[in-house]
Each structure stands twice: as structure tokens, then as C-alpha cells.
Amino acid sequence: MVKFIVGEKGTGKSKKLVALANQTAKTTEGNLVFIDDNKVPALTLHHSIRLVVTSGYNITNHMEFLGFLCGILSQNSDIVEVYVDGLTNIVGSIGEQDLINFANKLQTVSKENNVNFIITINKAREAFPPELDSMLYTD
């Protein structure tokens, strides 16, 4: 499963993502990974969640990030959920068609590895590609 939490900057997406991760950490047997471009979430994440900070890895686009995610999954087959905070903060600008391609490839990775991805993206709901409506996170 791939789900996106969308909204403009400052609308509470990160807080929601941290809350989701922390809630899941209380009930899951598998490993959780939280990916961000900085260390800020470390202060509020449950101690069992692995924080990966991308700022030191020189990721410049969505395809490099997809490879990065696959590398993380290849190192631990017990990962059940991956939370990504601020996709565009990590990969830079991403066009509509590239976002659609990224989401579809990530969906394949999700199914093949039995792992869920929940991703925040700074994008107004109206600007989110309608082709990905089924991937929108709803409470």
C-alpha cells in the first residue's frame, strides 16, 4: 500500500505522520522506518522506530530516492511500514507525470516486499494528480 498525505506547508502533515508512526509502533511486530531530510522527528518518535535522515546522501531526484528506499528494504526484510516526511524536501521538485510514475513503481515495490509506504508531500489537494486519488490518505 502506498498512501499520500497532501497539503500545503504548515498544515500539520508531519505531526499527523509522526502520530501515525507512533501509534503503529505500539501495535506492530515488524520494524518501522521514518525517513526525513532532518533530525527533528527524533525528539518525538517512539524509540523503536528507525529514523533515517536523507540530508547526507545527496539524493537529487525521485528515481534516486526510489533506489534509496529499495536499498533500505534490502537490508531488513522485517520492515512493515516506511514513513516519508516531505517527499519534495528530499527529492526536490517533482512534476505530475514523474510523481505518477514514482507512485506506481513504489506500489510495485510495496506489493513485492509486503511493506506499506505513507508519504507526506507539500502539494495542495487540487494540484495532486487525479490518477493517484486512490492513494490519498484518509483518516
Side-chain angles (χ1 to χ4, degrees), residues 94-113:
I94 184 168
E96 184 172 315
Q97 192 56 53
D98 286 338
L99 180 58
I100 293 167
N101 292 340
F102 172 78
N104 289 332
K105 288 180 183 195
L106 196 57
Q107 186 75 279
T108 300
V109 170
S110 171
K111 289 177 184 174
E112 290 175 352
N113 294 279

Side-chain angles (χ1 to χ4, degrees), residues 21-32 48-49 78-81 83:
N22 285 338
Q23 185 61 37
T24 303
K26 295 176 186 175
T27 59
T28 189
E29 296 289 321
N31 293 316
L32 307 178
S48 66
I49 301 171
D78 292 334
I79 296 173
V80 294
E81 291 204 358
Y83 302 87

Side-chain angles (χ1 to χ4, degrees), residues 4-20 34 84-86 119-123:
F4 288 93
I5 300 173
V6 300
E8 297 288 345
K9 185 175 173 117
T11 57
K13 297 178 303 299
S14 295
K15 286 183 182 180
K16 181 184 286 189
L17 193 66
V18 168
L20 285 169
F34 195 98
V84 178
D85 192 20
I119 303 166
T120 66
I121 185 167
N122 292 331
K123 189 175 282 289

Side-chain angles (χ1 to χ4, degrees), residues 1 10 13 15 29 33 36 38 53 57 59 63 71 90-91 93 102 108 112 123-124 128 134 137 139:
M1 169 193 81
K13 297 178 303 299
K15 286 183 182 180
E29 296 289 321
V33 177
D36 201 334
N38 62 56
V53 179
Y57 293 101
I59 298 167
M63 293 308 294
I90 296 168
V91 304
S93 179
F102 172 78
T108 300
E112 290 175 352
K123 189 175 282 289
F128 194 72
S134 65
Y137 179 84
D139 296 331

Side-chain angles (χ1 to χ4, degrees), residues 12-76:
K13 297 178 303 299
S14 295
K15 286 183 182 180
K16 181 184 286 189
L17 193 66
V18 168
L20 285 169
N22 285 338
Q23 185 61 37
T24 303
K26 295 176 186 175
T27 59
T28 189
E29 296 289 321
N31 293 316
L32 307 178
V33 177
F34 195 98
I35 300 173
D36 201 334
D37 65 325
N38 62 56
K39 294 179 182 178
V40 172
L43 302 174
T44 55
L45 284 176
H46 188 273
H47 65 86
S48 66
I49 301 171
R50 179 178 165 205
L51 175 64
V52 177
V53 179
T54 61
S55 59
Y57 293 101
N58 197 28
I59 298 167
T60 61
N61 62 56
H62 64 287
M63 293 308 294
E64 289 177 357
F65 185 57
L66 183 63
F68 182 80
L69 292 172
C70 290
I72 290 172
L73 295 177
S74 74
Q75 294 300 306
N76 184 343

